[in-house]
């Protein structure tokens, strides 16, 4: 016999034993058709609970601390759980015949999509080289442990934050982005995106902030700090002091230390001497200066002799110089050379002028050659000094030179975040970074291997710039997973490289969300009483649709799930199962339904039919026989006659004597 102290301890253990701890996990008979639900706060969910134990002392639902009606007759119980409390709990419970009580708790995750806002921590202009901070506020997110915050700059992810708080109720969170800002980010668009990520099989919920465009102030900068300009004597020339900066810099011109003018352009009329002009550009962040060397090409005065009158200097109608090649197409940074030749007589000298490759010779040819063309303003000229008809003159020919540069990168991105929705229009952007000349650029868009759009450009900039090409796409479900790409080509003409310079982007995979669609439509299904019936339902959609059946529940009807297919199994169909079963498929894009009308019919075997038919025939025969016997007996009883001869002399008269009961009447 157990000691009283141990017995009391055991009683205490049993008193503390709840349904799950008293019910061994490997023998728990309960199953929930949906063991885990992820729903928006305030919605409701319909859950079916079934038991493998046919005989029990009752099944019931416990929601929170409240127990609901107990089911005694069936091993199947359903309940609609209202999700209007953040700490809501629900469990299906069963009392077994052996006294044990088991339960199966529904795993519930409630969510609330937050509001998102982004703003700078300091409302002042961003300055190049200084840290710039943005803050993203996420209000009302739940559950916060599923919250993922992503920062984007021009549709490119630059930061990702997650949270470890396990609070189930809505909370306020924030994420800070610190950027070492540069002038290249002037006009850049920053935004943050809050996502509730419930894994690959759960919903993916997004909320995107408004875009914050950054305005960056930076010191002035010249494209070149030194320039060389050649001009014919007596002609006008315009010098440019254009500098890049923000705020726009103020320009100032000086010559030999004296100020000339505070304007961007300096116009010099009737130039007759070579000079070096200084240009400065300044704003509140800095000041820079560049030099522009103006070289004057002068006419050589004529010579006179005692026996010859003075001739006026003359300029020939054409300069007798031939450039080979006549046009030069060269990649920036590559070596280059051009030959300048003449067949004219009286050549006093010739050569090349320019920032690089300047040279002179006595003729009849001169070569301009550089190891590396690294100046976008390069414009060499071949000149010649001639003596014709006693007069001296100089002429020159500019080299037609095209410098090109292939793009640093070519990329495709979506101009709006998130997946496409079928039927809506979206724009994809092809970014071609740092390319020149833009007027020779051709952008070709592809969907897979199919050309869908081409675009040319008319920008005449001679220095590298970035170009954008947009493609408008009307989203279709067959585009889901399609690869979009763009190709940038520089068509530089017959003097360009043999192979067209080409850079192709990495493919952009489109994600298209579309409403569910059933593989088959509604129909009527006629079955015999007592047979087993299975109704299947599956649908295609993106995201994969949630599928469920709407019908009148019965004890012999059960739902099963296999992959993305929901099935209803009817065991031993009865007339109560004859009604309309509606399948519903829904996702974030849309909702569709289809129905199956189940009808019952009786079935009798041929042998049974034959047996019944012969039985009916036999009954009819017996009935007719009995009827004939009764009629005959009645007739015989009431009408009896005998033939009695009465003195008949011949056969002509035979009197008949009726008899009744042997007495003569």
């Amino acid at each position: 016999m157990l000691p009283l102290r141990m017995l009391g301890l055991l009683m205490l253990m049993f008193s503390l034993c709840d349904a799950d701890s008293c019910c061994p996990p490997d023998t728990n008979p309960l199953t929930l058709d949906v063991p885990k639900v992820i729903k928006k706060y305030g919605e409701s969910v319909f859950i079916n609970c079934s038991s493998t134990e046919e005989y029990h002392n009752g099944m019931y639902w416990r929601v929170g601390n409240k127990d609901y009606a107990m089911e005694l007759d069936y091993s199947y119980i359903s309940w609609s759980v209202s999700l209007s409390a953040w700490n809501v709990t629900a469990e299906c419970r069963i009392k077994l015949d052996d006294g044990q009580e088991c339960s199966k708790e529904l795993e519930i995750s409630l969510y609330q999509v937050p509001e998102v806002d982004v703003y700078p921590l300091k409302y002042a202009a961003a300055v190049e080289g200084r840290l710039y901070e943005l803050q993203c506020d996420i209000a009302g997110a739940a559950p916060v442990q599923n919250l993922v915050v992503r920062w984007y700059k021009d549709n490119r992810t630059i930061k990702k934050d997650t949270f470890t708080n396990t609070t189930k109720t809505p909370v306020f969170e924030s994420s800070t982005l610190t950027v070492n800002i540069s002038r290249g980010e002037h006009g850049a668009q920053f935004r943050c995106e809050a996502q509730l990520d419930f894994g690959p099989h759960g919903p993916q919920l997004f909320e995107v902030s408004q875009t914050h465009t950054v305005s960056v102030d930076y010191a002035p900068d010249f494209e070149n700090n030194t320039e060389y300009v050649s001009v014919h004597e007596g002609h006008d020339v315009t010098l440019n002091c254009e500098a890049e900066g923000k705020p726009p810099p103020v320009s100032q011109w000086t010559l030999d230390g004296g100020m000339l003018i505070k304007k961007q352009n300096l116009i010099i009329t009737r130039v007759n001497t070579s000079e070096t002009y200084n240009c400065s550009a300044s704003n509140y962040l800095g000041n820079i200066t560049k030099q522009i060397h103006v070289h004057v090409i002068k006419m050589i005065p004529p010579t006179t002799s005692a026996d010859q009158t003075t001739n006026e200097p003359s300029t020939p109608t054409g300069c007798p110089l031939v450039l080979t090649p006549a046009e030069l197409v060269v990649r920036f940074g590559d070596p280059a050379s051009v030959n300048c030749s003449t067949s004219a007589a009286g050549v006093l000298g010739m050569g090349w002028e320019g920032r690089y490759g300047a040279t002179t010779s006595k003729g009849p040819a001169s070569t301009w050659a550089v190891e590396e063309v690294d100046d976008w303003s390069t414009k060499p000229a071949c000149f010649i000094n001639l003596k014709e008809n006693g007069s001296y003159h100089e002429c020159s020919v500019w080299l037609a030179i095209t410098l090109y540069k292939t793009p640093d990168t070519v990329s495709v991105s979506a101009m709006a975040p998130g997946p496409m929705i079928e039927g809506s229009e979206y724009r994809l952007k092809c970014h071609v970074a740092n390319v020149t000349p833009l007027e020779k650029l051709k952008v070709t868009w592809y969907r897979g291997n199919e050309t869908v759009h081409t675009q040319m450009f008319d920008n005449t900039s001679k220095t590298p710039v970035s170009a954008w090409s947009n493609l408008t796409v009307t989203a279709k479900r067959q585009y889901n997973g399609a690869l979009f790409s763009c190709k940038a080509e520089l068509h530089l003409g017959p003097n360009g490289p043999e192979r067209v310079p080409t850079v192709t982007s990495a493919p952009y995979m489109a994600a298209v969300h579309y409403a569910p669609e059933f593989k088959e439509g509604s129909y009527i299904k006629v079955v015999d009483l007592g047979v087993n019936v299975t109704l299947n339902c599956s649908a295609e959609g993106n995201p994969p649709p949630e599928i469920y059946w709407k019908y009148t529940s019965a004890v012999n009807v059960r739902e099963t799930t296999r992959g993305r297919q929901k099935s209803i199994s009817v065991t031993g169909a009865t007339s109560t199962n004859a009604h309309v079963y509606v399948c519903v498929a829904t996702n974030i894009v849309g909702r569709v339904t289809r129905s199956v009308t189940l009808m019952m019919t009786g079935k009798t075997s041929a042998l049974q039919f034959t047996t019944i038919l012969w039985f009916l025939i036999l009954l009819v025969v017996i009935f007719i026989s009995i009827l004939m016997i009764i009629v005959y007996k009645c007739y015989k009883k009431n009408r009896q006659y005998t033939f009695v001869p009465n003195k008949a002399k011949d056969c002509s008269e035979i009197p008949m004597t009726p008899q009744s009961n042997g007495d003569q009447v």
Side-chain angles (χ1 to χ4, degrees):
M1 185 173 182
L2 291 171
L4 291 178
R5 181 176 298 177
M6 184 175 296
L7 182 60
L9 181 61
L10 290 175
M11 292 178 64
L12 177 62
M13 292 176 59
F14 281 114
S15 66
L16 296 176
C17 181
D18 60 12
D20 285 335
S21 61
C22 293
C23 178
D26 55 345
T27 61
N28 192 332
L30 296 177
T31 303
L32 301 180
D33 63 341
V34 181
K36 178 180 179 180
V37 294
I38 302 173
K39 290 289 184 179
K40 186 177 181 180
Y41 174 78
E43 295 182 344
S44 61
V45 61
F46 189 81
I47 302 296
N48 297 317
C49 177
S50 60
S51 171
T52 57
E53 291 289 341
E54 184 177 358
Y55 302 101
H56 54 80
N57 292 327
M59 294 178 64
Y60 64 99
W61 277 93
R62 175 177 293 172
V63 180
N65 296 323
K66 184 177 179 180
D67 294 342
Y68 289 88
M70 185 173 291
E71 174 61 56
L72 299 172
D73 297 329
Y74 302 111
S75 57
Y76 188 88
I77 186 170
S78 303
W79 198 255
S80 179
V81 181
S82 176
L83 307 177
S84 56
W86 288 103
N87 60 347
V88 63
T89 60
E91 59 178 343
C92 177
R93 304 177 70 90
I94 186 171
K95 294 183 178 180
L96 302 177
D97 289 343
D98 58 4
Q100 290 185 345
E101 185 169 353
C102 295
S103 70
K104 182 70 70 173
E105 184 173 0
L106 174 65
E107 187 177 347
I108 300 174
S109 293
L110 299 184
Y111 68 83
Q112 178 172 287
V113 179
E115 295 182 356
V116 185
D117 186 30
V118 65
Y119 56 90
L121 289 181
K122 295 181 180 179
Y123 284 93
V127 177
E128 183 178 36
R130 302 179 188 175
L131 295 180
Y132 187 69
E133 290 184 306
L134 294 171
Q135 180 163 312
C136 178
D137 288 343
I138 305 99
V144 70
Q145 63 265 31
N146 294 97
L147 177 64
V148 179
V149 176
R150 292 182 177 86
W151 283 92
Y152 293 88
K153 186 182 79 172
D154 295 334
N155 297 321
R156 180 173 61 89
T157 305
I158 57 176
K159 186 181 179 183
K160 174 182 175 183
D161 282 339
T162 57
F163 303 86
T164 58
N165 191 334
T166 58
T167 302
K168 292 185 177 181
T169 56
V171 297
F172 179 93
E173 291 286 354
S174 62
S175 173
T176 302
L177 176 68
T178 302
V179 182
N180 190 357
I181 210 76
S182 67
R183 68 185 62 195
E185 290 163 317
H186 176 69
Q189 295 182 331
F190 291 85
R191 72 177 191 278
C192 69
E193 173 189 85
Q195 176 191 7
L196 289 175
D197 187 354
F198 291 96
H201 302 295
Q204 304 295 317
L205 307 167
F206 296 89
E207 186 67 20
V208 182
S209 72
Q210 292 182 344
T211 299
H212 176 78
T213 303
V214 176
S215 177
V216 182
D217 286 358
Y218 49 94
D221 185 30
F222 288 121
E223 184 177 341
N224 297 298
N225 293 324
T226 304
E227 289 186 14
Y228 295 86
V229 176
S230 297
V231 59
H232 288 281
E233 183 180 21
H235 289 194
D236 299 341
V237 66
T238 299
L239 306 181
N240 186 278
C241 188
E242 181 180 2
E244 183 183 0
K246 189 174 180 300
V250 177
S251 300
Q252 177 176 295
W253 290 92
T254 61
L255 176 64
D256 296 332
M259 192 188 72
L260 297 177
I261 192 173
K262 287 187 176 181
K263 285 186 178 181
Q264 181 173 311
N265 294 329
L266 175 64
I267 301 175
I268 308 172
T269 60
R270 297 185 179 182
V271 180
N272 53 28
T273 59
S274 298
E275 299 283 359
T276 297
Y277 295 84
N278 294 314
C279 163
S280 63
S282 62
N283 62 15
Y284 80 97
L285 292 173
N287 178 78
I288 57 172
T289 302
K290 77 171 180 179
Q291 290 184 334
I292 301 180
H293 302 279
V294 177
H295 173 68
V296 176
I297 302 175
K298 294 187 175 183
M299 301 296 294
I300 301 175
T303 60
T304 60
S305 61
D307 56 351
Q308 184 180 14
T309 60
T310 303
N311 294 323
E312 294 292 326
S314 62
T315 302
T317 57
C319 194
L321 294 175
V322 177
L323 301 183
T324 307
E327 179 184 356
L328 180 64
V329 178
V330 61
R331 183 168 60 181
F332 185 80
D334 281 2
S337 64
V338 177
N339 186 59
C340 178
S341 60
T342 182
S343 58
V347 178
L348 299 177
M350 62 184 299
W352 286 88
E353 295 177 328
R355 183 177 179 183
Y356 301 104
T359 183
T360 59
S361 70
K362 294 182 179 180
S366 179
T367 300
W368 176 80
V370 292
E371 294 182 355
E372 183 178 350
V373 182
D374 57 0
D375 183 4
W376 293 106
S377 62
T378 294
K379 194 175 182 182
C382 181
F383 68 90
I384 186 171
N385 292 319
L386 295 171
K387 180 180 179 181
E388 282 186 325
N389 301 323
S391 64
Y392 296 86
H393 64 267
E394 180 180 299
C395 68
S396 61
V397 176
W398 296 100
L399 171 64
I401 182 171
T402 299
L403 293 180
Y404 73 90
K405 178 185 175 299
T406 57
D408 292 340
T409 59
V410 177
S411 60
V412 176
S413 60
M415 299 187 69
M420 303 178 183
I421 304 298
E422 184 179 31
S424 300
E425 283 193 351
Y426 292 84
R427 287 200 300 171
L428 300 180
K429 177 177 68 175
C430 177
H431 180 216
V432 184
N434 294 329
V435 63
T436 194
L438 203 59
E439 60 185 338
K440 304 292 185 181
L441 177 65
K442 176 183 178 182
V443 173
T444 305
W445 280 90
Y446 296 91
R447 185 177 64 245
N449 296 322
E450 179 186 358
T451 302
V452 293
H453 180 62
T454 58
Q455 182 176 349
M456 301 295 293
F457 300 83
D458 55 8
N459 189 316
T460 58
S461 173
K462 302 303 180 183
T463 57
V465 294
S466 292
W468 290 265
S469 175
N470 296 331
L471 175 68
T472 300
V473 179
T474 301
K476 300 179 181 179
R477 63 183 57 200
Q478 55 265 37
Y479 292 171
N480 186 46
L483 299 178
F484 288 84
S485 61
C486 64
K487 180 174 68 176
E489 299 174 308
L490 286 173
H491 291 266
L492 300 167
N495 294 313
E498 183 177 348
R499 298 185 63 178
V500 175
T502 303
V503 179
T504 303
S505 73
Y508 172 85
M509 180 177 290
V512 181
H513 282 184
Y514 49 90
E517 183 180 39
F518 290 116
K519 297 179 180 179
E520 56 181 339
S522 301
Y523 64 92
I524 298 175
K525 188 177 184 68
V526 181
V527 300
D528 297 322
L529 291 170
V531 302
N532 297 333
V533 184
T534 299
L535 307 179
N536 298 321
C537 185
S538 61
E540 293 182 354
N542 192 28
E546 177 186 356
I547 299 175
Y548 60 92
W549 285 92
K550 296 173 63 177
Y551 60 95
T552 302
S553 61
V555 68
N556 64 336
V557 178
R558 178 172 297 184
E559 285 190 41
T560 57
T561 302
R562 177 176 295 177
R564 296 181 182 175
Q565 177 174 283
K566 282 269 189 175
S567 301
I568 288 181
S569 298
V570 182
T571 304
T574 66
S575 59
T576 59
N577 301 125
H579 55 78
V580 178
Y581 295 77
V582 178
C583 179
V584 181
T586 180
N587 63 12
I588 60 176
V589 183
R591 179 178 182 270
V592 293
T593 62
R594 58 177 284 265
S595 64
V596 179
T597 303
L598 190 62
M599 300 179 65
M600 304 295 170
T601 182
K603 179 179 179 182
T604 305
S605 66
L607 179 61
Q608 290 174 327
F609 179 78
T610 304
T611 303
I612 293 173
L613 180 62
W614 280 108
F615 180 73
L616 291 175
I617 294 174
L618 180 60
L619 287 178
V620 172
V621 171
I622 293 173
F623 176 76
I624 294 175
S625 299
I626 294 173
L627 183 62
M628 292 180 65
I629 292 173
I630 293 173
V631 172
Y632 175 74
K633 285 188 175 183
C634 290
Y635 177 80
K636 184 176 180 182
K637 180 178 180 181
N638 295 319
R639 298 292 297 172
Q640 291 186 356
Y641 294 91
T642 58
F643 295 94
V644 179
N646 186 14
K647 299 179 182 182
K649 295 181 180 180
D650 53 26
C651 297
S652 62
E653 292 185 3
I654 302 177
M656 294 185 292
T657 303
Q659 294 182 347
S660 178
N661 298 326
D663 297 326
Q664 185 176 358
V665 180

